[in-house]
Amino acid sequence: MPDTIRPSLAGFFEGTNPTKPTHLGTRYDTAGNFLLEPGNTVVCHLVQGSPSQAAIVEARDRMLAMPDADRLAFTPISSLHMTLFQGIIEYRRRLPYWPSDVPLDTSIDDMTQLYLQRLEGFEACPSFRVKTVHITPNGLTVAGASAEDERILRLWRDALSVPFGYRHPDHDTYVFHITFAYQIRRLANERAGAWRDLFDDCLSFLEREAPVIELRPAAFCSFKDMKHFEELLVLG
């Protein structure tokens, strides 16, 4: 097959996207070191030791084995999670990514304490299941394993928007994902075929070995960088 670049992957390759990766210089540096970027969030970590975690780690290892994987900054296996609702973060102190009733210069630690108070008594939504639907150089795109699971995922986001005090512009269209890595440099166009084949193989592998991804209950977490998300309050 020719080394064509799929539209869904175009933004990851030099010829189709010459711009600097969005978080380069704030979230991580050109050597792949993660930088201080404190915030909070609601995530579901992978279930450690589960068959689906093992399959996901295998897919991540296959990406790491690519000869040009040095263009990606990989997060630790222990940090792997699916974000359910985006909290606040140091470099996004503006509306509508911040509650309008709280000053924009409030410290991250104070915001985390405020949210712990607001989340007291939070009524959890029903449980849900997710599956992998797509793979990119950043990792897995996931969605509800059924239409009902997808509805419940959106229900969680609607419910969490109340204590968090905002709805991001992509609130209703948010693409759920499990991040493996961030781009340091765009991939070379001539490598498109190799990456496409890898993603096809990995997607087939995950559909077979991890048709449903086992996730821990949703938890409100704090973080200093993208290497660790400390669970402070389990919500689900």
Side-chain angles (χ1 to χ4, degrees):
M1 296 177 64
D3 288 355
T4 54
I5 299 175
R6 291 174 180 163
S8 60
L9 296 175
F12 297 99
F13 288 86
E14 291 172 337
T16 52
N17 186 9
T19 62
K20 186 184 82 167
T22 303
H23 300 292
L24 182 61
T26 54
R27 182 162 295 178
Y28 56 98
D29 63 22
T30 56
N33 301 307
F34 286 93
L35 306 174
L36 186 67
E37 189 186 19
N40 52 57
T41 185
V42 176
V43 310
C44 299
H45 282 102
L46 301 186
V47 174
Q48 188 171 3
S50 64
S52 60
Q53 185 207 34
I56 288 170
V57 170
E58 169 65 21
R60 176 183 177 276
D61 286 346
R62 293 183 187 185
M63 286 179 57
L64 263 170
M66 293 292 274
D68 46 348
D70 59 351
R71 295 190 179 209
L72 303 172
F74 282 81
T75 58
I77 291 172
S78 60
S79 76
L80 294 176
H81 66 270
M82 185 199 78
T83 300
L84 192 57
F85 191 90
Q86 314 99 299
I88 52 91
I89 195 166
E90 181 61 45
Y91 297 115
R92 198 164 56 194
R93 290 176 173 270
R94 60 186 184 278
L95 302 177
Y97 305 100
W98 197 276
S100 60
D101 60 338
V102 182
L104 292 172
D105 60 354
T106 304
S107 74
I108 299 296
D109 286 344
D110 285 348
M111 290 298 296
T112 296
Q113 291 304 311
L114 173 64
Y115 281 143
L116 280 170
Q117 295 171 18
R118 290 187 177 186
L119 288 166
E120 285 183 10
F122 176 81
E123 187 172 345
C125 298
S127 59
F128 54 81
R129 302 176 306 153
V130 301
K131 63 182 179 181
T132 304
V133 296
H134 189 51
I135 305 178
T136 74
N138 287 150
L140 309 182
T141 301
V142 303
S146 68
E148 178 63 9
D149 290 312
E150 186 69 21
R151 186 190 71 81
I152 293 171
L153 283 168
R154 303 297 167 181
L155 191 66
W156 270 95
R157 289 183 60 78
D158 287 344
L160 287 165
S161 71
V162 177
F164 277 86
Y166 53 73
R167 292 166 68 99
H168 288 192
D170 68 348
H171 179 86
D172 295 320
T173 58
Y174 182 77
V175 177
F176 297 97
H177 57 276
I178 296 174
T179 297
F180 287 177
Y182 296 91
Q183 282 203 299
I184 299 170
R185 296 170 57 201
R186 304 298 182 195
L187 299 172
N189 282 19
E190 59 268 23
R191 293 285 299 155
W195 282 98
R196 181 197 59 224
D197 292 346
L198 172 72
F199 295 149
D200 287 348
D201 289 345
C202 285
L203 184 58
S204 295
F205 171 74
L206 290 174
E207 287 173 345
R208 183 175 67 253
E209 300 296 328
V212 172
I213 298 172
E214 295 154 282
L215 296 173
R216 290 174 52 82
F220 175 63
C221 301
S222 65
F223 57 88
K224 298 301 183 184
D225 54 34
M226 295 296 111
K227 294 187 296 184
H228 179 70
F229 296 80
E230 184 71 21
E231 294 190 1
L232 302 178
L233 180 66
V234 176
L235 304 177

